[in-house]
Amino acid sequence: MNIGRPRRSISTRQGRVTKGPDRSANDRLLRSLLRRRKQSLSASDVTVTDKAEVHRAVSAAALGNMMEWFDFGVYAYLATTLGKVFFPSSSPGAQVVSTFATFAAAFLVRPLGGLVFGPLGDRIGRKRVLAVTMLLMACSTFAVGFLPGYSAIGFAAPILLLICRLVQGFSTGGEYAGATTYIAEYAPDKRRGFLGSWLDFGTFIGYAFGSGIVTLLTAVLGSKGMVDWGWRVPFFVAGPLGLVGLYMRLRLEETPAFLREQEAAEAEEGGAAEAARADDELAAGARQSGKGRLKEIFTRHWQAVLICMGLVLLYNVTNYMVTSYLPTFMTETLGQGEVTAQLLILGTMIMVALTITVVGRSSDRWGRRPMFLAGSIAMVVLAAPAILLIRQGGILLPAFGCAILGLLLVCFAGTSASTLPALFPTRIRYGALSISFNVSVSLFGGTTPLIASALVEKTNDKMVPAYYLMIAGLIGLISTFFLHETAGKPLRGSGPMVESEEQARSLVARSRTEAGRQARDVWLRVRHPGRHHADDTDEM
């Protein structure tokens, strides 16, 4: 026995000779690596959702979105009427452009609202910010109904309308991103698409409700009655809706993902403060002010920001083209009757609302990427035929054209609320989504009615809406190409979310089995590469 002398072991792999103590060190390193890889889920890592809380969260978030789009529906259907009330000295075409310019102005401040409310939601919580945005949105919409017209106070009338729109835009800057974040962080992983689609269900129900009221009033009062006083009625309805929405949001609990992130951040800050006080105080200050999060969004997650902006562009250009511009396009440009055009778009919105949860459920089963890919390709191919059908006389052919655009829209509407929050980790999700979403909406979505109406007015080309939609489809297709599939997976920075204790136990057991098998395979491949390779060959 050669006690005290290191035993030599020869490894013929790559022609190297390895001594005993070196191999022992390598073994220890390998075991350390394997221990890290072998980490599996524990029961505390899995969140079991409460069904009643999930339903309450979805309802409250969807009602806020319904309130926002009630306003959009009213404004879009009243564009011609509001032009006569607030811009009476202009030509009919200029009145429409002026009204949509006021509409678009609200989108200019949306990124500012996103910069304020988004990081704030990541710091103080989602539910508090959502209550504030609900209150601001309801009050500003309600106030529009009390505004005097141009005939009463002159140029001050459109200025007051602009101020109300700016407040609406500022509050909306934190609304959709916060609502999608809230639902995504409450929903079980395997049902996030279905539950998230209810948010946009509220969108189209709100739009249909607002546009339905305007259509009914127009049919009863006529154009003159609407200009005289009827245009105020839909805005007055916003008051009670806002109170109901505010009550529901004040009863919400904070999301489990945010609470876990908050606990982890507090523990991290406490431990760091003991290790290096000066540096960590600066870091903590940056986190509290939101500067650290903003820097992280644009330096570490810029790719996700660009993907989000591309998908939002695709969804919102389609959305605002159909919901905000088509009613005016059909009446002012194509010469169709007001009630006929309003009923066609209203029917399209009802169709979208009835199918949107089916699309959301399908995205849970087939994935988010296939839905966006199919919709983007179809947009490029079908936008021109849809607009051509809408340009035809009568009701039947335009109805088919509107239905095509509605089915394209629902591909994006039913999938966005579950896709966009999954792009970002929990700590910066609200802020990153608010900024990305609102910049894209402001630059491309909200300006769609203004740009489309101006281009049609200037070029007299009635196919402009089709060209616009085709470009949006191409941008969406490129963005979807870089999108990673997230259906059925936990959100970034969050643990798994399931619906029952049984599902949680099954997930933990499966995780342990898979982690153990993975660690065993790594061990065998490293320690016995030749033998493992031979076993694989025999199995083949």
Side-chain angles (χ1 to χ4, degrees), residues 232-271:
R232 300 180 185 275
V233 175
F235 293 105
F236 289 151
V237 177
L241 281 179
L243 290 176
V244 174
L246 181 62
Y247 170 75
M248 292 185 66
R249 288 195 170 180
L250 289 174
R251 295 178 62 242
L252 292 176
E253 299 293 334
E254 194 51 81
T255 68
F258 176 79
L259 292 176
R260 286 198 175 197
E261 184 65 32
Q262 192 176 44
E263 293 173 0
E266 291 174 355
E268 180 183 352
E269 287 180 11

mmCIF file of all heavy atoms in Angstrom, residues 232-271:
data_model
loop_
_atom_site.group_PDB
_atom_site.id
_atom_site.type_symbol
_atom_site.label_atom_id
_atom_site.label_comp_id
_atom_site.label_asym_id
_atom_site.label_seq_id
_atom_site.Cartn_x
_atom_site.Cartn_y
_atom_site.Cartn_z
ATOM 1 N N ARG A 232 -74.714 64.978 -24.892
ATOM 2 C CA ARG A 232 -74.280 65.012 -23.491
ATOM 3 C C ARG A 232 -74.666 63.743 -22.723
ATOM 4 O O ARG A 232 -73.975 63.346 -21.778
ATOM 5 C CB ARG A 232 -74.899 66.222 -22.778
ATOM 6 C CG ARG A 232 -74.521 67.563 -23.375
ATOM 7 C CD ARG A 232 -75.182 68.706 -22.603
ATOM 8 N NE ARG A 232 -74.922 69.995 -23.236
ATOM 9 C CZ ARG A 232 -73.827 70.741 -23.027
ATOM 10 N NH1 ARG A 232 -72.911 70.305 -22.175
ATOM 11 N NH2 ARG A 232 -73.671 71.886 -23.638
ATOM 12 N N VAL A 233 -75.771 63.130 -23.109
ATOM 13 C CA VAL A 233 -76.334 62.020 -22.328
ATOM 14 C C VAL A 233 -75.345 60.876 -22.123
ATOM 15 O O VAL A 233 -75.176 60.397 -20.983
ATOM 16 C CB VAL A 233 -77.635 61.514 -22.983
ATOM 17 C CG1 VAL A 233 -78.169 60.290 -22.243
ATOM 18 C CG2 VAL A 233 -78.682 62.622 -23.014
ATOM 19 N N PRO A 234 -74.654 60.378 -23.168
ATOM 20 C CA PRO A 234 -73.739 59.255 -22.942
ATOM 21 C C PRO A 234 -72.622 59.571 -21.950
ATOM 22 O O PRO A 234 -72.203 58.685 -21.186
ATOM 23 C CB PRO A 234 -73.165 58.990 -24.344
ATOM 24 C CG PRO A 234 -74.176 59.546 -25.288
ATOM 25 C CD PRO A 234 -74.735 60.729 -24.596
ATOM 26 N N PHE A 235 -72.166 60.820 -21.932
ATOM 27 C CA PHE A 235 -71.091 61.174 -21.004
ATOM 28 C C PHE A 235 -71.605 61.210 -19.563
ATOM 29 O O PHE A 235 -70.851 60.924 -18.621
ATOM 30 C CB PHE A 235 -70.483 62.529 -21.385
ATOM 31 C CG PHE A 235 -69.755 62.508 -22.693
ATOM 32 C CD1 PHE A 235 -70.313 63.087 -23.822
ATOM 33 C CD2 PHE A 235 -68.515 61.893 -22.806
ATOM 34 C CE1 PHE A 235 -69.641 63.074 -25.036
ATOM 35 C CE2 PHE A 235 -67.838 61.867 -24.009
ATOM 36 C CZ PHE A 235 -68.401 62.461 -25.132
ATOM 37 N N PHE A 236 -72.877 61.560 -19.377
ATOM 38 C CA PHE A 236 -73.444 61.551 -18.030
ATOM 39 C C PHE A 236 -73.515 60.125 -17.461
ATOM 40 O O PHE A 236 -73.466 59.933 -16.245
ATOM 41 C CB PHE A 236 -74.849 62.172 -18.034
ATOM 42 C CG PHE A 236 -74.856 63.659 -18.253
ATOM 43 C CD1 PHE A 236 -75.939 64.276 -18.870
ATOM 44 C CD2 PHE A 236 -73.790 64.441 -17.842
ATOM 45 C CE1 PHE A 236 -75.955 65.646 -19.074
ATOM 46 C CE2 PHE A 236 -73.792 65.816 -18.039
ATOM 47 C CZ PHE A 236 -74.866 66.416 -18.661
ATOM 48 N N VAL A 237 -73.676 59.142 -18.331
ATOM 49 C CA VAL A 237 -73.752 57.747 -17.889
ATOM 50 C C VAL A 237 -72.436 57.304 -17.255
ATOM 51 O O VAL A 237 -72.405 56.393 -16.419
ATOM 52 C CB VAL A 237 -74.114 56.832 -19.075
ATOM 53 C CG1 VAL A 237 -74.123 55.369 -18.669
ATOM 54 C CG2 VAL A 237 -75.480 57.224 -19.649
ATOM 55 N N ALA A 238 -71.326 57.958 -17.627
ATOM 56 C CA ALA A 238 -70.011 57.558 -17.125
ATOM 57 C C ALA A 238 -69.892 57.725 -15.615
ATOM 58 O O ALA A 238 -69.119 57.011 -14.967
ATOM 59 C CB ALA A 238 -68.917 58.369 -17.825
ATOM 60 N N GLY A 239 -70.652 58.667 -15.035
ATOM 61 C CA GLY A 239 -70.562 58.901 -13.591
ATOM 62 C C GLY A 239 -70.926 57.680 -12.759
ATOM 63 O O GLY A 239 -70.115 57.186 -11.963
ATOM 64 N N PRO A 240 -72.139 57.156 -12.896
ATOM 65 C CA PRO A 240 -72.509 55.956 -12.129
ATOM 66 C C PRO A 240 -71.615 54.750 -12.436
ATOM 67 O O PRO A 240 -71.277 53.980 -11.525
ATOM 68 C CB PRO A 240 -73.953 55.696 -12.576
ATOM 69 C CG PRO A 240 -74.456 57.015 -13.048
ATOM 70 C CD PRO A 240 -73.278 57.711 -13.642
ATOM 71 N N LEU A 241 -71.229 54.577 -13.711
ATOM 72 C CA LEU A 241 -70.334 53.472 -14.049
ATOM 73 C C LEU A 241 -69.020 53.580 -13.296
ATOM 74 O O LEU A 241 -68.471 52.595 -12.794
ATOM 75 C CB LEU A 241 -70.059 53.458 -15.557
ATOM 76 C CG LEU A 241 -71.125 52.864 -16.477
ATOM 77 C CD1 LEU A 241 -70.676 52.970 -17.923
ATOM 78 C CD2 LEU A 241 -71.410 51.421 -16.116
ATOM 79 N N GLY A 242 -68.488 54.796 -13.216
ATOM 80 C CA GLY A 242 -67.228 55.003 -12.512
ATOM 81 C C GLY A 242 -67.338 54.697 -11.025
ATOM 82 O O GLY A 242 -66.408 54.137 -10.434
ATOM 83 N N LEU A 243 -68.456 55.049 -10.407
ATOM 84 C CA LEU A 243 -68.633 54.769 -8.977
ATOM 85 C C LEU A 243 -68.665 53.263 -8.711
ATOM 86 O O LEU A 243 -68.070 52.777 -7.740
ATOM 87 C CB LEU A 243 -69.918 55.421 -8.474
ATOM 88 C CG LEU A 243 -69.903 56.956 -8.384
ATOM 89 C CD1 LEU A 243 -71.277 57.475 -7.965
ATOM 90 C CD2 LEU A 243 -68.822 57.421 -7.407
ATOM 91 N N VAL A 244 -69.363 52.518 -9.576
ATOM 92 C CA VAL A 244 -69.412 51.062 -9.418
ATOM 93 C C VAL A 244 -68.022 50.462 -9.585
ATOM 94 O O VAL A 244 -67.589 49.608 -8.800
ATOM 95 C CB VAL A 244 -70.388 50.448 -10.440
ATOM 96 C CG1 VAL A 244 -70.333 48.927 -10.380
ATOM 97 C CG2 VAL A 244 -71.810 50.927 -10.176
ATOM 98 N N GLY A 245 -67.301 50.923 -10.608
ATOM 99 C CA GLY A 245 -65.955 50.408 -10.837
ATOM 100 C C GLY A 245 -65.012 50.721 -9.694
ATOM 101 O O GLY A 245 -64.201 49.870 -9.289
ATOM 102 N N LEU A 246 -65.107 51.934 -9.151
ATOM 103 C CA LEU A 246 -64.245 52.319 -8.032
ATOM 104 C C LEU A 246 -64.537 51.471 -6.809
ATOM 105 O O LEU A 246 -63.613 51.022 -6.108
ATOM 106 C CB LEU A 246 -64.451 53.803 -7.720
ATOM 107 C CG LEU A 246 -63.598 54.370 -6.581
ATOM 108 C CD1 LEU A 246 -62.118 54.279 -6.918
ATOM 109 C CD2 LEU A 246 -63.995 55.824 -6.300
ATOM 110 N N TYR A 247 -65.806 51.227 -6.539
ATOM 111 C CA TYR A 247 -66.186 50.386 -5.384
ATOM 112 C C TYR A 247 -65.589 48.987 -5.523
ATOM 113 O O TYR A 247 -65.030 48.441 -4.562
ATOM 114 C CB TYR A 247 -67.708 50.315 -5.290
ATOM 115 C CG TYR A 247 -68.215 49.288 -4.300
ATOM 116 C CD1 TYR A 247 -68.143 49.524 -2.929
ATOM 117 C CD2 TYR A 247 -68.753 48.075 -4.744
ATOM 118 C CE1 TYR A 247 -68.596 48.581 -2.017
ATOM 119 C CE2 TYR A 247 -69.207 47.126 -3.834
ATOM 120 C CZ TYR A 247 -69.130 47.386 -2.481
ATOM 121 O OH TYR A 247 -69.561 46.446 -1.581
ATOM 122 N N MET A 248 -65.690 48.407 -6.713
ATOM 123 C CA MET A 248 -65.172 47.052 -6.920
ATOM 124 C C MET A 248 -63.647 47.009 -6.778
ATOM 125 O O MET A 248 -63.088 46.066 -6.215
ATOM 126 C CB MET A 248 -65.591 46.540 -8.296
ATOM 127 C CG MET A 248 -67.076 46.280 -8.439
ATOM 128 S SD MET A 248 -67.506 45.546 -10.035
ATOM 129 C CE MET A 248 -66.699 43.945 -9.904
ATOM 130 N N ARG A 249 -62.970 48.026 -7.251
ATOM 131 C CA ARG A 249 -61.510 48.016 -7.178
ATOM 132 C C ARG A 249 -60.994 48.257 -5.765
ATOM 133 O O ARG A 249 -59.927 47.771 -5.397
ATOM 134 C CB ARG A 249 -60.940 49.054 -8.144
ATOM 135 C CG ARG A 249 -61.102 48.604 -9.588
ATOM 136 C CD ARG A 249 -60.270 49.385 -10.553
ATOM 137 N NE ARG A 249 -60.303 48.754 -11.867
ATOM 138 C CZ ARG A 249 -59.670 49.202 -12.929
ATOM 139 N NH1 ARG A 249 -58.937 50.305 -12.828
ATOM 140 N NH2 ARG A 249 -59.741 48.575 -14.071
ATOM 141 N N LEU A 250 -61.730 49.008 -4.982
ATOM 142 C CA LEU A 250 -61.319 49.220 -3.597
ATOM 143 C C LEU A 250 -61.440 47.944 -2.770
ATOM 144 O O LEU A 250 -60.809 47.828 -1.711
ATOM 145 C CB LEU A 250 -62.162 50.339 -2.967
ATOM 146 C CG LEU A 250 -61.870 51.757 -3.480
ATOM 147 C CD1 LEU A 250 -62.859 52.753 -2.883
ATOM 148 C CD2 LEU A 250 -60.430 52.171 -3.152
ATOM 149 N N ARG A 251 -62.225 46.987 -3.220
ATOM 150 C CA ARG A 251 -62.399 45.723 -2.497
ATOM 151 C C ARG A 251 -61.372 44.659 -2.904
ATOM 152 O O ARG A 251 -61.369 43.563 -2.357
ATOM 153 C CB ARG A 251 -63.810 45.180 -2.748
ATOM 154 C CG ARG A 251 -64.914 46.058 -2.183
ATOM 155 C CD ARG A 251 -66.295 45.510 -2.502
ATOM 156 N NE ARG A 251 -66.511 44.203 -1.906
ATOM 157 C CZ ARG A 251 -66.751 43.085 -2.589
ATOM 158 N NH1 ARG A 251 -66.785 43.124 -3.915
ATOM 159 N NH2 ARG A 251 -66.958 41.945 -1.982
ATOM 160 N N LEU A 252 -60.519 44.980 -3.864
ATOM 161 C CA LEU A 252 -59.546 44.005 -4.347
ATOM 162 C C LEU A 252 -58.423 43.776 -3.352
ATOM 163 O O LEU A 252 -58.089 44.644 -2.542
ATOM 164 C CB LEU A 252 -58.948 44.475 -5.680
ATOM 165 C CG LEU A 252 -59.876 44.518 -6.897
ATOM 166 C CD1 LEU A 252 -59.136 45.093 -8.093
ATOM 167 C CD2 LEU A 252 -60.396 43.126 -7.220
ATOM 168 N N GLU A 253 -57.827 42.591 -3.434
ATOM 169 C CA GLU A 253 -56.611 42.280 -2.693
ATOM 170 C C GLU A 253 -55.421 42.428 -3.630
ATOM 171 O O GLU A 253 -55.557 42.389 -4.847
ATOM 172 C CB GLU A 253 -56.671 40.848 -2.146
ATOM 173 C CG GLU A 253 -57.820 40.587 -1.183
ATOM 174 C CD GLU A 253 -57.663 41.348 0.118
ATOM 175 O OE1 GLU A 253 -56.507 41.657 0.489
ATOM 176 O OE2 GLU A 253 -58.687 41.649 0.752
ATOM 177 N N GLU A 254 -54.236 42.587 -3.042
ATOM 178 C CA GLU A 254 -53.029 42.681 -3.868
ATOM 179 C C GLU A 254 -52.700 41.320 -4.463
ATOM 180 O O GLU A 254 -53.047 40.286 -3.893
ATOM 181 C CB GLU A 254 -51.856 43.192 -3.016
ATOM 182 C CG GLU A 254 -50.652 43.658 -3.804
ATOM 183 C CD GLU A 254 -51.034 44.642 -4.899
ATOM 184 O OE1 GLU A 254 -51.219 45.823 -4.603
ATOM 185 O OE2 GLU A 254 -51.154 44.186 -6.054
ATOM 186 N N THR A 255 -52.037 41.301 -5.618
ATOM 187 C CA THR A 255 -51.758 40.038 -6.297
ATOM 188 C C THR A 255 -50.709 39.227 -5.535
ATOM 189 O O THR A 255 -49.796 39.796 -4.934
ATOM 190 C CB THR A 255 -51.245 40.289 -7.726
ATOM 191 O OG1 THR A 255 -49.949 40.897 -7.670
ATOM 192 C CG2 THR A 255 -52.191 41.179 -8.492
ATOM 193 N N PRO A 256 -50.821 37.898 -5.564
ATOM 194 C CA PRO A 256 -49.820 37.058 -4.880
ATOM 195 C C PRO A 256 -48.404 37.280 -5.407
ATOM 196 O O PRO A 256 -47.443 37.277 -4.635
ATOM 197 C CB PRO A 256 -50.297 35.626 -5.183
ATOM 198 C CG PRO A 256 -51.748 35.760 -5.502
ATOM 199 C CD PRO A 256 -51.902 37.100 -6.148
ATOM 200 N N ALA A 257 -48.255 37.482 -6.707
ATOM 201 C CA ALA A 257 -46.923 37.682 -7.286
ATOM 202 C C ALA A 257 -46.287 38.954 -6.754
ATOM 203 O O ALA A 257 -45.084 38.971 -6.431
ATOM 204 C CB ALA A 257 -47.015 37.734 -8.809
ATOM 205 N N PHE A 258 -47.060 40.033 -6.638
ATOM 206 C CA PHE A 258 -46.500 41.278 -6.118
ATOM 207 C C PHE A 258 -46.123 41.146 -4.645
ATOM 208 O O PHE A 258 -45.083 41.652 -4.204
ATOM 209 C CB PHE A 258 -47.489 42.429 -6.295
ATOM 210 C CG PHE A 258 -47.008 43.722 -5.692
ATOM 211 C CD1 PHE A 258 -46.077 44.507 -6.368
ATOM 212 C CD2 PHE A 258 -47.467 44.142 -4.455
ATOM 213 C CE1 PHE A 258 -45.621 45.692 -5.816
ATOM 214 C CE2 PHE A 258 -47.015 45.326 -3.891
ATOM 215 C CZ PHE A 258 -46.098 46.105 -4.570
ATOM 216 N N LEU A 259 -46.978 40.471 -3.860
ATOM 217 C CA LEU A 259 -46.676 40.300 -2.438
ATOM 218 C C LEU A 259 -45.391 39.504 -2.239
ATOM 219 O O LEU A 259 -44.561 39.847 -1.383
ATOM 220 C CB LEU A 259 -47.849 39.604 -1.739
ATOM 221 C CG LEU A 259 -49.153 40.419 -1.643
ATOM 222 C CD1 LEU A 259 -50.260 39.580 -1.025
ATOM 223 C CD2 LEU A 259 -48.922 41.689 -0.826
ATOM 224 N N ARG A 260 -45.200 38.464 -3.031
ATOM 225 C CA ARG A 260 -43.966 37.675 -2.926
ATOM 226 C C ARG A 260 -42.753 38.502 -3.326
ATOM 227 O O ARG A 260 -41.714 38.441 -2.684
ATOM 228 C CB ARG A 260 -44.063 36.436 -3.813
ATOM 229 C CG ARG A 260 -44.980 35.368 -3.271
ATOM 230 C CD ARG A 260 -44.704 34.033 -3.947
ATOM 231 N NE ARG A 260 -45.486 32.963 -3.357
ATOM 232 C CZ ARG A 260 -45.234 31.688 -3.512
ATOM 233 N NH1 ARG A 260 -44.208 31.312 -4.257
ATOM 234 N NH2 ARG A 260 -45.981 30.763 -2.947
ATOM 235 N N GLU A 261 -42.894 39.267 -4.377
ATOM 236 C CA GLU A 261 -41.791 40.108 -4.838
ATOM 237 C C GLU A 261 -41.460 41.171 -3.799
ATOM 238 O O GLU A 261 -40.296 41.482 -3.561
ATOM 239 C CB GLU A 261 -42.168 40.759 -6.164
ATOM 240 C CG GLU A 261 -41.065 41.580 -6.796
ATOM 241 C CD GLU A 261 -39.876 40.743 -7.195
ATOM 242 O OE1 GLU A 261 -40.056 39.571 -7.560
ATOM 243 O OE2 GLU A 261 -38.742 41.274 -7.126
ATOM 244 N N GLN A 262 -42.477 41.711 -3.165
ATOM 245 C CA GLN A 262 -42.276 42.720 -2.142
ATOM 246 C C GLN A 262 -41.547 42.135 -0.925
ATOM 247 O O GLN A 262 -40.617 42.749 -0.384
ATOM 248 C CB GLN A 262 -43.624 43.300 -1.718
ATOM 249 C CG GLN A 262 -43.536 44.553 -0.873
ATOM 250 C CD GLN A 262 -44.905 45.126 -0.582
ATOM 251 O OE1 GLN A 262 -45.841 44.384 -0.255
ATOM 252 N NE2 GLN A 262 -45.054 46.430 -0.701
ATOM 253 N N GLU A 263 -41.949 40.946 -0.510
ATOM 254 C CA GLU A 263 -41.278 40.284 0.606
ATOM 255 C C GLU A 263 -39.819 39.977 0.279
ATOM 256 O O GLU A 263 -38.926 40.183 1.102
ATOM 257 C CB GLU A 263 -42.018 38.993 0.973
ATOM 258 C CG GLU A 263 -43.398 39.224 1.555
ATOM 259 C CD GLU A 263 -44.159 37.913 1.731
ATOM 260 O OE1 GLU A 263 -43.582 36.853 1.387
ATOM 261 O OE2 GLU A 263 -45.308 37.957 2.203
ATOM 262 N N ALA A 264 -39.575 39.497 -0.946
ATOM 263 C CA ALA A 264 -38.211 39.182 -1.353
ATOM 264 C C ALA A 264 -37.350 40.442 -1.421
ATOM 265 O O ALA A 264 -36.180 40.446 -1.025
ATOM 266 C CB ALA A 264 -38.213 38.481 -2.706
ATOM 267 N N ALA A 265 -37.941 41.552 -1.912
ATOM 268 C CA ALA A 265 -37.189 42.806 -2.017
ATOM 269 C C ALA A 265 -36.845 43.352 -0.637
ATOM 270 O O ALA A 265 -35.730 43.845 -0.413
ATOM 271 C CB ALA A 265 -38.003 43.830 -2.805
ATOM 272 N N GLU A 266 -37.794 43.246 0.302
ATOM 273 C CA GLU A 266 -37.527 43.724 1.654
ATOM 274 C C GLU A 266 -36.428 42.906 2.321
ATOM 275 O O GLU A 266 -35.552 43.450 2.993
ATOM 276 C CB GLU A 266 -38.805 43.674 2.485
ATOM 277 C CG GLU A 266 -39.852 44.703 2.054
ATOM 278 C CD GLU A 266 -41.152 44.526 2.795
ATOM 279 O OE1 GLU A 266 -41.262 43.535 3.566
ATOM 280 O OE2 GLU A 266 -42.069 45.353 2.598
ATOM 281 N N ALA A 267 -36.465 41.586 2.126
ATOM 282 C CA ALA A 267 -35.417 40.736 2.695
ATOM 283 C C ALA A 267 -34.069 41.037 2.063
ATOM 284 O O ALA A 267 -33.035 41.088 2.749
ATOM 285 C CB ALA A 267 -35.780 39.262 2.485
ATOM 286 N N GLU A 268 -34.054 41.257 0.766
ATOM 287 C CA GLU A 268 -32.799 41.543 0.065
ATOM 288 C C GLU A 268 -32.213 42.873 0.516
ATOM 289 O O GLU A 268 -31.013 42.991 0.757
ATOM 290 C CB GLU A 268 -33.052 41.580 -1.441
ATOM 291 C CG GLU A 268 -31.802 41.872 -2.263
ATOM 292 C CD GLU A 268 -32.114 41.961 -3.737
ATOM 293 O OE1 GLU A 268 -33.257 41.649 -4.119
ATOM 294 O OE2 GLU A 268 -31.219 42.363 -4.497
ATOM 295 N N GLU A 269 -33.073 43.878 0.652
ATOM 296 C CA GLU A 269 -32.600 45.183 1.086
ATOM 297 C C GLU A 269 -32.066 45.129 2.510
ATOM 298 O O GLU A 269 -31.054 45.738 2.836
ATOM 299 C CB GLU A 269 -33.730 46.209 0.989
ATOM 300 C CG GLU A 269 -34.068 46.599 -0.433
ATOM 301 C CD GLU A 269 -35.183 47.622 -0.481
ATOM 302 O OE1 GLU A 269 -35.521 48.157 0.587
ATOM 303 O OE2 GLU A 269 -35.693 47.899 -1.578
ATOM 304 N N GLY A 270 -32.751 44.350 3.385
ATOM 305 C CA GLY A 270 -32.283 44.237 4.751
ATOM 306 C C GLY A 270 -30.925 43.573 4.848
ATOM 307 O O GLY A 270 -30.035 44.025 5.566
ATOM 308 N N GLY A 271 -30.725 42.471 4.109
ATOM 309 C CA GLY A 271 -29.437 41.795 4.118
ATOM 310 C C GLY A 271 -28.348 42.624 3.494
ATOM 311 O O GLY A 271 -27.205 42.656 3.980
#
